[in-house]
Amino acid sequence: MFDSLSDRLGGVFDRLRGRGALTEADVRAAMREVRVALLEADVALPVARAFVDKITETAVGQNVLRSITPGQQVVKIVNDALVEMLGGGEGAATAELELGVTPPAVIMMVGLQGSGKTTTTAKIAKRLSGGQMGRDRKKVLMASLDVNRPNAQEQLATLGTQIEVATLPIIAGQQPVDIARRALQAAKLQGFDVLMLDTAGRLHVDAALMAEMQAVAEVADPAEILLVVDSLTGQDAVNVAQNFSDQVPLTGVVLTRMDGDARGGAALSMRAVTGKPIKFAGTGEKLDALEAFHAERVAGRILG
Ligand code: GDP
């Protein structure tokens, strides 16, 4: 992840640092290279453009060029801008899951089929029930609302057994909104702290999917609506995020397959496109392969 972007930026900055004095033209030339590197990493064009414009303005506008170490200062400006692009300090850690409502706190998971939604539902449930988010262990109930994909509900039940988290008993033929209603009632009656709703995905965003998400959200009144997107899908991930965020009130994003060789564009564009923080990164198939997303750390990794 980020390897090629990191190499490209490393080259640009080594050249900048290597020179004693910098002119405005030097900075502008370097920023053109940064822009190309970002686009090659699949960063959305408007995001890359805004990023580079902002850095250029800061670097040229402040007394950076007249300082003793202009190259170093430009790199610092890029670092700060990257951290901001990745979501700043906000939404990074587990505490940012908004669970402070009257229980059960509902976490609704949305996303396309194959994005890793069901796996991520179980990963978050495991962390919550294991007391890894905040200090206390949460009593978690998971329910699958996916009536489209054969065996989706069974898949969640199997994961529940593995991680020792309760799942809502399956009633064949029941529709998503009714399952959500039943899950909420069960969670209330049985004293669960958190209810996780694994909603249906589709291969593509469509009107029926969005209508279903909105109807479920209305019934379940979720404290969190987390969009799960596959970081390997690059620009597509960004388009999917844009679509969902236009129609469903997301509270955050989970990027899966960060263990793969994604070029990084999805991670870098997500905040700008959705306005919402990336809260977690999926880093493998195992159920403990989930990390809180820390913008500073990721920026540090990119800049080497
Ligand atoms: P859903 O259709 O969105 O519910 O997707 P699933 O949760 O069934 O995941 C699809 C596949 O992706 C499964 O084989 C998961 O094990 C795998 N997967 C999910 N998240 C990750 C991740 O972060 N890294 C890797 N390598 N695989 C993942």
PDB file of all heavy atoms in Angstrom, residues 111-120 123 146 149 155 198 228 255-260 281-285 289, ligand 1:
ATOM      1  N   GLY A 111     -22.547  -0.789   2.242  1.00  0.00           N
ATOM      2  CA  GLY A 111     -21.490  -0.915   1.232  1.00  0.00           C
ATOM      3  C   GLY A 111     -21.884  -1.898   0.151  1.00  0.00           C
ATOM      4  O   GLY A 111     -22.930  -2.546   0.250  1.00  0.00           O
ATOM      5  N   LEU A 112     -21.053  -1.989  -0.858  1.00  0.00           N
ATOM      6  CA  LEU A 112     -21.347  -2.902  -1.961  1.00  0.00           C
ATOM      7  C   LEU A 112     -21.008  -4.337  -1.578  1.00  0.00           C
ATOM      8  O   LEU A 112     -20.207  -4.584  -0.682  1.00  0.00           O
ATOM      9  CB  LEU A 112     -20.549  -2.515  -3.206  1.00  0.00           C
ATOM     10  CG  LEU A 112     -20.921  -1.212  -3.892  1.00  0.00           C
ATOM     11  CD1 LEU A 112     -20.160  -1.069  -5.197  1.00  0.00           C
ATOM     12  CD2 LEU A 112     -22.425  -1.124  -4.147  1.00  0.00           C
ATOM     13  N   GLN A 113     -21.598  -5.259  -2.316  1.00  0.00           N
ATOM     14  CA  GLN A 113     -21.318  -6.673  -2.114  1.00  0.00           C
ATOM     15  C   GLN A 113     -19.830  -6.941  -2.368  1.00  0.00           C
ATOM     16  O   GLN A 113     -19.272  -6.413  -3.335  1.00  0.00           O
ATOM     17  CB  GLN A 113     -22.150  -7.463  -3.123  1.00  0.00           C
ATOM     18  CG  GLN A 113     -22.430  -8.877  -2.742  1.00  0.00           C
ATOM     19  CD  GLN A 113     -23.515  -9.450  -3.645  1.00  0.00           C
ATOM     20  OE1 GLN A 113     -24.629  -8.938  -3.706  1.00  0.00           O
ATOM     21  NE2 GLN A 113     -23.186 -10.502  -4.365  1.00  0.00           N
ATOM     22  N   GLY A 114     -19.225  -7.695  -1.493  1.00  0.00           N
ATOM     23  CA  GLY A 114     -17.816  -8.042  -1.698  1.00  0.00           C
ATOM     24  C   GLY A 114     -16.841  -7.023  -1.137  1.00  0.00           C
ATOM     25  O   GLY A 114     -15.632  -7.216  -1.191  1.00  0.00           O
ATOM     26  N   SER A 115     -17.363  -5.927  -0.575  1.00  0.00           N
ATOM     27  CA  SER A 115     -16.465  -4.895  -0.048  1.00  0.00           C
ATOM     28  C   SER A 115     -15.807  -5.337   1.263  1.00  0.00           C
ATOM     29  O   SER A 115     -14.781  -4.787   1.665  1.00  0.00           O
ATOM     30  CB  SER A 115     -17.233  -3.586   0.184  1.00  0.00           C
ATOM     31  OG  SER A 115     -18.291  -3.803   1.084  1.00  0.00           O
ATOM     32  N   GLY A 116     -16.411  -6.328   1.892  1.00  0.00           N
ATOM     33  CA  GLY A 116     -15.875  -6.792   3.179  1.00  0.00           C
ATOM     34  C   GLY A 116     -16.771  -6.392   4.340  1.00  0.00           C
ATOM     35  O   GLY A 116     -16.357  -6.377   5.493  1.00  0.00           O
ATOM     36  N   LYS A 117     -18.032  -6.121   4.016  1.00  0.00           N
ATOM     37  CA  LYS A 117     -18.970  -5.593   5.012  1.00  0.00           C
ATOM     38  C   LYS A 117     -19.238  -6.590   6.149  1.00  0.00           C
ATOM     39  O   LYS A 117     -19.170  -6.230   7.326  1.00  0.00           O
ATOM     40  CB  LYS A 117     -20.267  -5.251   4.278  1.00  0.00           C
ATOM     41  CG  LYS A 117     -21.179  -4.347   5.009  1.00  0.00           C
ATOM     42  CD  LYS A 117     -22.229  -3.721   4.096  1.00  0.00           C
ATOM     43  CE  LYS A 117     -22.485  -4.460   2.816  1.00  0.00           C
ATOM     44  NZ  LYS A 117     -23.074  -5.792   2.990  1.00  0.00           N
ATOM     45  N   THR A 118     -19.550  -7.827   5.765  1.00  0.00           N
ATOM     46  CA  THR A 118     -19.884  -8.819   6.792  1.00  0.00           C
ATOM     47  C   THR A 118     -18.667  -9.111   7.680  1.00  0.00           C
ATOM     48  O   THR A 118     -18.777  -9.165   8.909  1.00  0.00           O
ATOM     49  CB  THR A 118     -20.388 -10.119   6.117  1.00  0.00           C
ATOM     50  OG1 THR A 118     -21.502  -9.773   5.294  1.00  0.00           O
ATOM     51  CG2 THR A 118     -20.818 -11.143   7.136  1.00  0.00           C
ATOM     52  N   THR A 119     -17.520  -9.262   7.045  1.00  0.00           N
ATOM     53  CA  THR A 119     -16.289  -9.510   7.801  1.00  0.00           C
ATOM     54  C   THR A 119     -16.011  -8.351   8.754  1.00  0.00           C
ATOM     55  O   THR A 119     -15.666  -8.554   9.923  1.00  0.00           O
ATOM     56  CB  THR A 119     -15.090  -9.648   6.824  1.00  0.00           C
ATOM     57  OG1 THR A 119     -15.452 -10.559   5.791  1.00  0.00           O
ATOM     58  CG2 THR A 119     -13.855 -10.133   7.532  1.00  0.00           C
ATOM     59  N   THR A 120     -16.177  -7.129   8.256  1.00  0.00           N
ATOM     60  CA  THR A 120     -15.897  -5.950   9.081  1.00  0.00           C
ATOM     61  C   THR A 120     -16.895  -5.828  10.231  1.00  0.00           C
ATOM     62  O   THR A 120     -16.528  -5.424  11.338  1.00  0.00           O
ATOM     63  CB  THR A 120     -15.914  -4.673   8.203  1.00  0.00           C
ATOM     64  OG1 THR A 120     -14.988  -4.850   7.124  1.00  0.00           O
ATOM     65  CG2 THR A 120     -15.510  -3.456   9.003  1.00  0.00           C
ATOM     66  N   LYS A 123     -15.581  -8.056  12.745  1.00  0.00           N
ATOM     67  CA  LYS A 123     -14.334  -7.526  13.328  1.00  0.00           C
ATOM     68  C   LYS A 123     -14.647  -6.455  14.384  1.00  0.00           C
ATOM     69  O   LYS A 123     -14.054  -6.437  15.461  1.00  0.00           O
ATOM     70  CB  LYS A 123     -13.461  -6.896  12.234  1.00  0.00           C
ATOM     71  CG  LYS A 123     -12.752  -7.899  11.327  1.00  0.00           C
ATOM     72  CD  LYS A 123     -11.984  -7.142  10.229  1.00  0.00           C
ATOM     73  CE  LYS A 123     -11.175  -8.072   9.345  1.00  0.00           C
ATOM     74  NZ  LYS A 123     -10.446  -7.337   8.286  1.00  0.00           N
ATOM     75  N   ASP A 146     -29.224  -8.930   5.024  1.00  0.00           N
ATOM     76  CA  ASP A 146     -28.950  -9.245   3.624  1.00  0.00           C
ATOM     77  C   ASP A 146     -29.782 -10.436   3.168  1.00  0.00           C
ATOM     78  O   ASP A 146     -29.415 -11.589   3.387  1.00  0.00           O
ATOM     79  CB  ASP A 146     -27.461  -9.535   3.436  1.00  0.00           C
ATOM     80  CG  ASP A 146     -27.084  -9.600   1.965  1.00  0.00           C
ATOM     81  OD1 ASP A 146     -28.010  -9.666   1.122  1.00  0.00           O
ATOM     82  OD2 ASP A 146     -25.886  -9.591   1.662  1.00  0.00           O
ATOM     83  N   ARG A 149     -28.251 -11.972  -0.983  1.00  0.00           N
ATOM     84  CA  ARG A 149     -27.173 -12.925  -1.240  1.00  0.00           C
ATOM     85  C   ARG A 149     -27.483 -14.218  -0.481  1.00  0.00           C
ATOM     86  O   ARG A 149     -27.713 -14.189   0.734  1.00  0.00           O
ATOM     87  CB  ARG A 149     -25.839 -12.332  -0.768  1.00  0.00           C
ATOM     88  CG  ARG A 149     -24.634 -13.155  -1.145  1.00  0.00           C
ATOM     89  CD  ARG A 149     -23.374 -12.320  -1.127  1.00  0.00           C
ATOM     90  NE  ARG A 149     -23.068 -11.723   0.170  1.00  0.00           N
ATOM     91  CZ  ARG A 149     -22.337 -12.319   1.106  1.00  0.00           C
ATOM     92  NH1 ARG A 149     -21.850 -13.513   0.923  1.00  0.00           N
ATOM     93  NH2 ARG A 149     -22.093 -11.696   2.242  1.00  0.00           N
ATOM     94  N   GLN A 155     -23.778 -16.746   7.027  1.00  0.00           N
ATOM     95  CA  GLN A 155     -22.350 -16.367   7.125  1.00  0.00           C
ATOM     96  C   GLN A 155     -22.102 -15.543   8.397  1.00  0.00           C
ATOM     97  O   GLN A 155     -21.146 -15.778   9.136  1.00  0.00           O
ATOM     98  CB  GLN A 155     -21.947 -15.542   5.894  1.00  0.00           C
ATOM     99  CG  GLN A 155     -20.465 -15.166   5.857  1.00  0.00           C
ATOM    100  CD  GLN A 155     -20.160 -14.104   4.779  1.00  0.00           C
ATOM    101  OE1 GLN A 155     -20.965 -13.856   3.885  1.00  0.00           O
ATOM    102  NE2 GLN A 155     -19.011 -13.481   4.892  1.00  0.00           N
ATOM    103  N   ASP A 198     -25.840  -5.581   9.662  1.00  0.00           N
ATOM    104  CA  ASP A 198     -25.082  -5.818   8.429  1.00  0.00           C
ATOM    105  C   ASP A 198     -26.095  -5.766   7.286  1.00  0.00           C
ATOM    106  O   ASP A 198     -26.872  -6.690   7.112  1.00  0.00           O
ATOM    107  CB  ASP A 198     -24.415  -7.191   8.523  1.00  0.00           C
ATOM    108  CG  ASP A 198     -23.587  -7.513   7.289  1.00  0.00           C
ATOM    109  OD1 ASP A 198     -23.251  -6.590   6.536  1.00  0.00           O
ATOM    110  OD2 ASP A 198     -23.290  -8.711   7.094  1.00  0.00           O
ATOM    111  N   VAL A 228     -18.450   0.666   4.196  1.00  0.00           N
ATOM    112  CA  VAL A 228     -17.298  -0.214   3.995  1.00  0.00           C
ATOM    113  C   VAL A 228     -16.919  -0.187   2.522  1.00  0.00           C
ATOM    114  O   VAL A 228     -17.759  -0.463   1.661  1.00  0.00           O
ATOM    115  CB  VAL A 228     -17.640  -1.658   4.429  1.00  0.00           C
ATOM    116  CG1 VAL A 228     -16.438  -2.573   4.224  1.00  0.00           C
ATOM    117  CG2 VAL A 228     -18.083  -1.680   5.884  1.00  0.00           C
ATOM    118  N   LEU A 255     -12.061   1.308   5.394  1.00  0.00           N
ATOM    119  CA  LEU A 255     -11.377   0.885   4.169  1.00  0.00           C
ATOM    120  C   LEU A 255     -10.843  -0.516   4.368  1.00  0.00           C
ATOM    121  O   LEU A 255     -10.046  -0.744   5.283  1.00  0.00           O
ATOM    122  CB  LEU A 255     -10.197   1.811   3.880  1.00  0.00           C
ATOM    123  CG  LEU A 255     -10.462   3.098   3.134  1.00  0.00           C
ATOM    124  CD1 LEU A 255      -9.150   3.826   2.924  1.00  0.00           C
ATOM    125  CD2 LEU A 255     -11.130   2.826   1.795  1.00  0.00           C
ATOM    126  N   THR A 256     -11.284  -1.445   3.533  1.00  0.00           N
ATOM    127  CA  THR A 256     -10.798  -2.820   3.679  1.00  0.00           C
ATOM    128  C   THR A 256      -9.658  -3.092   2.701  1.00  0.00           C
ATOM    129  O   THR A 256      -9.382  -2.295   1.808  1.00  0.00           O
ATOM    130  CB  THR A 256     -11.926  -3.833   3.407  1.00  0.00           C
ATOM    131  OG1 THR A 256     -12.398  -3.631   2.082  1.00  0.00           O
ATOM    132  CG2 THR A 256     -13.060  -3.662   4.395  1.00  0.00           C
ATOM    133  N   ARG A 257      -9.033  -4.232   2.890  1.00  0.00           N
ATOM    134  CA  ARG A 257      -7.934  -4.711   2.041  1.00  0.00           C
ATOM    135  C   ARG A 257      -6.763  -3.727   1.987  1.00  0.00           C
ATOM    136  O   ARG A 257      -6.108  -3.589   0.972  1.00  0.00           O
ATOM    137  CB  ARG A 257      -8.425  -5.035   0.629  1.00  0.00           C
ATOM    138  CG  ARG A 257      -9.497  -6.121   0.652  1.00  0.00           C
ATOM    139  CD  ARG A 257      -9.583  -6.895  -0.632  1.00  0.00           C
ATOM    140  NE  ARG A 257     -10.602  -7.931  -0.510  1.00  0.00           N
ATOM    141  CZ  ARG A 257     -11.901  -7.741  -0.697  1.00  0.00           C
ATOM    142  NH1 ARG A 257     -12.352  -6.549  -1.039  1.00  0.00           N
ATOM    143  NH2 ARG A 257     -12.747  -8.735  -0.553  1.00  0.00           N
ATOM    144  N   MET A 258      -6.526  -3.075   3.090  1.00  0.00           N
ATOM    145  CA  MET A 258      -5.363  -2.189   3.171  1.00  0.00           C
ATOM    146  C   MET A 258      -4.083  -3.021   3.236  1.00  0.00           C
ATOM    147  O   MET A 258      -2.987  -2.480   3.208  1.00  0.00           O
ATOM    148  CB  MET A 258      -5.469  -1.279   4.401  1.00  0.00           C
ATOM    149  CG  MET A 258      -6.615  -0.302   4.334  1.00  0.00           C
ATOM    150  SD  MET A 258      -6.257   1.157   3.330  1.00  0.00           S
ATOM    151  CE  MET A 258      -5.382   2.166   4.512  1.00  0.00           C
ATOM    152  N   ASP A 259      -4.244  -4.335   3.415  1.00  0.00           N
ATOM    153  CA  ASP A 259      -3.086  -5.226   3.394  1.00  0.00           C
ATOM    154  C   ASP A 259      -2.674  -5.528   1.948  1.00  0.00           C
ATOM    155  O   ASP A 259      -1.607  -6.077   1.702  1.00  0.00           O
ATOM    156  CB  ASP A 259      -3.423  -6.538   4.119  1.00  0.00           C
ATOM    157  CG  ASP A 259      -4.755  -7.143   3.655  1.00  0.00           C
ATOM    158  OD1 ASP A 259      -5.750  -6.389   3.560  1.00  0.00           O
ATOM    159  OD2 ASP A 259      -4.793  -8.344   3.374  1.00  0.00           O
ATOM    160  N   GLY A 260      -3.530  -5.168   1.000  1.00  0.00           N
ATOM    161  CA  GLY A 260      -3.221  -5.446  -0.406  1.00  0.00           C
ATOM    162  C   GLY A 260      -2.322  -4.367  -0.979  1.00  0.00           C
ATOM    163  O   GLY A 260      -1.790  -3.534  -0.243  1.00  0.00           O
ATOM    164  N   ALA A 281      -9.270   0.618   9.322  1.00  0.00           N
ATOM    165  CA  ALA A 281      -8.690  -0.003   8.142  1.00  0.00           C
ATOM    166  C   ALA A 281      -8.702  -1.507   8.353  1.00  0.00           C
ATOM    167  O   ALA A 281      -8.267  -1.994   9.402  1.00  0.00           O
ATOM    168  CB  ALA A 281      -7.262   0.490   7.952  1.00  0.00           C
ATOM    169  N   GLY A 282      -9.217  -2.237   7.370  1.00  0.00           N
ATOM    170  CA  GLY A 282      -9.162  -3.696   7.404  1.00  0.00           C
ATOM    171  C   GLY A 282      -7.827  -4.125   6.836  1.00  0.00           C
ATOM    172  O   GLY A 282      -7.420  -3.665   5.774  1.00  0.00           O
ATOM    173  N   THR A 283      -7.142  -4.999   7.558  1.00  0.00           N
ATOM    174  CA  THR A 283      -5.782  -5.344   7.137  1.00  0.00           C
ATOM    175  C   THR A 283      -5.577  -6.843   6.954  1.00  0.00           C
ATOM    176  O   THR A 283      -4.462  -7.331   7.044  1.00  0.00           O
ATOM    177  CB  THR A 283      -4.755  -4.827   8.164  1.00  0.00           C
ATOM    178  OG1 THR A 283      -5.125  -5.343   9.452  1.00  0.00           O
ATOM    179  CG2 THR A 283      -4.737  -3.311   8.217  1.00  0.00           C
ATOM    180  N   GLY A 284      -6.670  -7.561   6.703  1.00  0.00           N
ATOM    181  CA  GLY A 284      -6.522  -8.997   6.476  1.00  0.00           C
ATOM    182  C   GLY A 284      -7.850  -9.701   6.618  1.00  0.00           C
ATOM    183  O   GLY A 284      -8.857  -9.080   6.975  1.00  0.00           O
ATOM    184  N   GLU A 285      -7.855 -10.992   6.328  1.00  0.00           N
ATOM    185  CA  GLU A 285      -9.098 -11.749   6.403  1.00  0.00           C
ATOM    186  C   GLU A 285      -9.442 -12.166   7.830  1.00  0.00           C
ATOM    187  O   GLU A 285     -10.597 -12.441   8.149  1.00  0.00           O
ATOM    188  CB  GLU A 285      -8.986 -12.995   5.518  1.00  0.00           C
ATOM    189  CG  GLU A 285      -8.841 -12.641   4.052  1.00  0.00           C
ATOM    190  CD  GLU A 285      -9.194 -13.814   3.139  1.00  0.00           C
ATOM    191  OE1 GLU A 285     -10.025 -14.646   3.525  1.00  0.00           O
ATOM    192  OE2 GLU A 285      -8.607 -13.880   2.050  1.00  0.00           O
ATOM    193  N   ALA A 289      -7.965  -8.562  12.231  1.00  0.00           N
ATOM    194  CA  ALA A 289      -7.203  -7.710  11.304  1.00  0.00           C
ATOM    195  C   ALA A 289      -7.959  -6.411  11.018  1.00  0.00           C
ATOM    196  O   ALA A 289      -8.454  -6.178   9.912  1.00  0.00           O
ATOM    197  CB  ALA A 289      -6.898  -8.465  10.018  1.00  0.00           C
TER     198      ALA A 289
HETATM  199  P1  GDP B   1     -19.435  -8.476   1.880  1.00  0.00           P
HETATM  200  O1  GDP B   1     -20.070  -9.067   0.647  1.00  0.00           O
HETATM  201  O2  GDP B   1     -19.221  -7.004   1.712  1.00  0.00           O
HETATM  202  O3  GDP B   1     -20.139  -8.791   3.138  1.00  0.00           O
HETATM  203  O4  GDP B   1     -17.955  -9.087   1.945  1.00  0.00           O
HETATM  204  P2  GDP B   1     -17.336 -10.192   2.919  1.00  0.00           P
HETATM  205  O5  GDP B   1     -17.256  -9.674   4.303  1.00  0.00           O
HETATM  206  O6  GDP B   1     -18.015 -11.484   2.702  1.00  0.00           O
HETATM  207  O7  GDP B   1     -15.830 -10.227   2.371  1.00  0.00           O
HETATM  208  C1  GDP B   1     -15.483 -10.676   1.067  1.00  0.00           C
HETATM  209  C2  GDP B   1     -14.089 -11.279   1.133  1.00  0.00           C
HETATM  210  O8  GDP B   1     -13.137 -10.286   1.440  1.00  0.00           O
HETATM  211  C3  GDP B   1     -13.913 -12.347   2.190  1.00  0.00           C
HETATM  212  O9  GDP B   1     -13.160 -13.396   1.654  1.00  0.00           O
HETATM  213  C4  GDP B   1     -13.150 -11.631   3.303  1.00  0.00           C
HETATM  214  O10 GDP B   1     -12.359 -12.521   4.054  1.00  0.00           O
HETATM  215  C5  GDP B   1     -12.296 -10.685   2.516  1.00  0.00           C
HETATM  216  N1  GDP B   1     -11.890  -9.493   3.286  1.00  0.00           N
HETATM  217  C6  GDP B   1     -12.672  -8.629   3.988  1.00  0.00           C
HETATM  218  N2  GDP B   1     -11.940  -7.638   4.534  1.00  0.00           N
HETATM  219  C7  GDP B   1     -10.643  -7.875   4.178  1.00  0.00           C
HETATM  220  C8  GDP B   1      -9.395  -7.183   4.435  1.00  0.00           C
HETATM  221  O11 GDP B   1      -9.315  -6.137   5.099  1.00  0.00           O
HETATM  222  N3  GDP B   1      -8.280  -7.742   3.866  1.00  0.00           N
HETATM  223  C9  GDP B   1      -8.325  -8.886   3.116  1.00  0.00           C
HETATM  224  N4  GDP B   1      -7.198  -9.351   2.609  1.00  0.00           N
HETATM  225  N5  GDP B   1      -9.475  -9.533   2.852  1.00  0.00           N
HETATM  226  C10 GDP B   1     -10.622  -9.056   3.381  1.00  0.00           C
END
